[in-house]
Structure formats: structure tokens, C-alpha cells
């Protein structure tokens, strides 16, 4: 039976001003790489397997973010107006502390659940870029600014 996943995302609220991490990436891309990205927005995406049911998704969303400063959702964040993106994952063998922390939280939220206790959780950072960028420019940003070679 194939693995099923729930994808949860946490993003800064767009109505609260500039995304500070996205603004840093935009500035560094312009200053150090001479790449005009336009606006940059960020999301942390958590993937949980086995997939969570609706009640568990709702509780997980409540635990993941501060609703005053963050948007927490299921699936993929709506990023209208952005034409490029980078997804930065951990390399195989690298410990995913944020994924492990989420799994611990889920075990605390749903004690005695064998599906959660034996489940998996991973995290990745997604950068949404306003401009359409070439694969070369995207690779430079990924390797020189936001990627961790470990």
C-alpha cells in the first residue's frame, strides 16, 4: 500500500507586512548575486505520514503556528503573483529536527495512537519568488544563499 501524506504549511501573514526571511533573501540575491527576484515569500512545509484525518489536521494546525502572525494551512500555500519557487529539503541522512519536533508534538496531541507514534514527519523551506528566473539563477540562489550543503 502506498504511503499517504498530509502536507501542512506555515507562512507569515501577508497582511502583516514584508516577510522578514523573504526580504533578507531578496536583498542578498540583489546585493551579492545581482539577481532581481522581486518580492520573496516563504513557507515552512511539513509532510506527515500516514495522512492525518480532518480532526487531527485541525489540532495539528492549531499547534503549529501563531494565528496572529502566521497562516497555517493544508496542502500548498496560495502564492498568487509569484512565478518561481525553490524548495529546500534536507539531504538523505541529515537529521530533520523540525520534522522530529512535529512528530513529538503530534504524539503529545494524540497519545496512544499507533499511527502517529510510528509515523514520519519531514520539513522543508519553500521560497516563492515574484520574478520568473532562469534555472541557473534559481540554482545560484539555492546553492549560495538558502541551501545548506549538509
Amino acid at each position: 500500500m502506498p504511503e499517504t501524506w498530509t502536507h501542512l504549511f506555515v507562512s507569515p501573514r501577508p497582511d502583516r507586512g514584508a516577510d522578514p526571511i523573504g526580504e533578507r533573501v531578496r536583498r542578498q540575491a540583489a546585493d551579492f548575486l545581482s539577481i532581481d527576484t522581486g518580492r520573496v515569500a516563504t513557507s515552512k512545509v511539513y509532510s506527515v505520514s500516514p495522512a492525518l484525518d480532518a480532526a487531527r489536521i485541525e489540532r495539528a494546525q492549531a499547534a503549529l503556528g501563531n494565528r496572529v502572525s502566521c497562516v497555517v494551512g493544508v496542502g500548498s500555500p496560495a502564492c498568487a503573483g509569484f512565478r518561481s519557487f525553490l524548495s529546500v529539503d534536507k539531504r538523505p541522512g541529515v537529521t530533520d529536527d523540525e520534522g522530529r519536533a512535529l512528530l513529538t508534538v503530534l504524539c503529545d496531541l494524540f497519545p496512544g495512537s499507533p499511527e502517529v507514534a510510528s509515523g514520519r514527519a519531514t520539513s522543508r523551506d519553500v521560497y516563492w519568488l515574484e520574478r520568473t528566473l532562469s534555472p541557473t539563477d534559481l540554482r545560484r540562489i539555492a546553492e549560495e544563499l538558502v541551501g545548506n550543503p549538509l
Side-chain angles (χ1 to χ4, degrees), residues 23-37 40 129 133 137 140-141 145:
E23 180 58 22
R24 177 184 52 82
V25 170
R26 183 201 63 74
R27 218 175 27 255
Q28 288 179 340
D31 293 348
F32 302 127
L33 305 176
S34 300
I35 298 172
D36 178 13
T37 62
V40 178
L129 311 168
L133 299 180
D137 285 346
R140 287 189 65 209
I141 293 169
L145 295 181

Side-chain angles (χ1 to χ4, degrees), residues 2 6-7 17 20 32 34 36 45 47 58 67 70 72 78-79 83 88 100-101 105 111 128 132 144 147:
T6 296
H7 303 285
F32 302 127
S34 300
D36 178 13
V45 178
S47 299
E58 189 173 324
R67 302 253 176 181
C70 297
V72 181
C79 291
R83 292 184 165 76
V88 180
R100 290 176 110 182
V105 168
W128 305 94
T132 301
E144 297 178 38

Side-chain angles (χ1 to χ4, degrees), residues 84-132:
S84 301
F85 75 94
L86 293 167
S87 177
V88 180
D89 295 354
K90 311 291 184 290
R91 287 185 181 239
V94 174
T95 302
D96 184 351
D97 292 331
E98 291 171 307
R100 290 176 110 182
L102 175 60
L103 202 52
T104 299
V105 168
L106 293 175
C107 286
D108 290 346
L109 287 173
F110 312 112
S113 168
E115 303 89 27
V116 172
S118 64
R120 294 181 17 193
T122 63
S123 68
R124 71 182 46 85
D125 295 309
V126 179
Y127 299 85
W128 305 94
L129 311 168
E130 183 179 33
R131 305 262 190 269
T132 301

